Amino acid sequence: MRHQASSRPTPADRAARQALAARPDARTHLQANLDAVNAPLAQFEKVKAFGVIVDDFGIATGELTPTLKVKRRVILERYAAQIEDLYKERGQGSGA
């Protein structure tokens, strides 16, 4: 029970996560790590765009099943705007 209670972020935690996600140096750090992971991959295998979600996925919030599998439909519905923005950004920068 203690783990469950401590795993829920407080509003202050969420605000701190949002502030961190908004920092340009944090995005640069994530991009550098992603570039390192992408380096040995073929072009079609590489992650081309990413976003940062500040909330943890959870069973109680409906994003995970009891066996901790991601509920893709829920994620796609809940984060539709952010996912759409990734594709918009990608389309503008690719010369298409």
Side-chain angles (χ1 to χ4, degrees), residues 71-83:
K71 293 184 178 180
R72 290 181 184 211
R73 182 182 48 81
V74 173
I75 299 301
L76 289 172
E77 290 171 2
R78 192 160 292 163
Y79 299 102
Q82 292 94 324
I83 294 167

Side-chain angles (χ1 to χ4, degrees), residues 4-49:
Q4 185 178 17
S6 65
S7 66
R8 292 195 179 122
T10 66
D13 292 337
R14 190 168 196 285
R17 288 179 181 188
Q18 286 174 324
L20 180 61
R23 289 176 46 181
D25 61 323
R27 180 144 184 107
T28 301
H29 178 74
L30 292 171
Q31 184 65 60
N33 283 293
L34 186 58
D35 291 344
V37 170
N38 276 342
L41 302 176
Q43 187 62 29
F44 71 91
E45 297 174 303
K46 294 181 180 188
V47 174
K48 307 210 178 24

Side-chain angles (χ1 to χ4, degrees), residues 57-86:
F57 293 172
I59 297 168
T61 54
E63 294 108 351
L64 298 176
T65 68
T67 57
L68 302 180
K69 295 178 188 129
V70 175
K71 293 184 178 180
R72 290 181 184 211
R73 182 182 48 81
V74 173
I75 299 301
L76 289 172
E77 290 171 2
R78 192 160 292 163
Y79 299 102
Q82 292 94 324
I83 294 167
E84 186 64 31
D85 287 345
L86 291 175

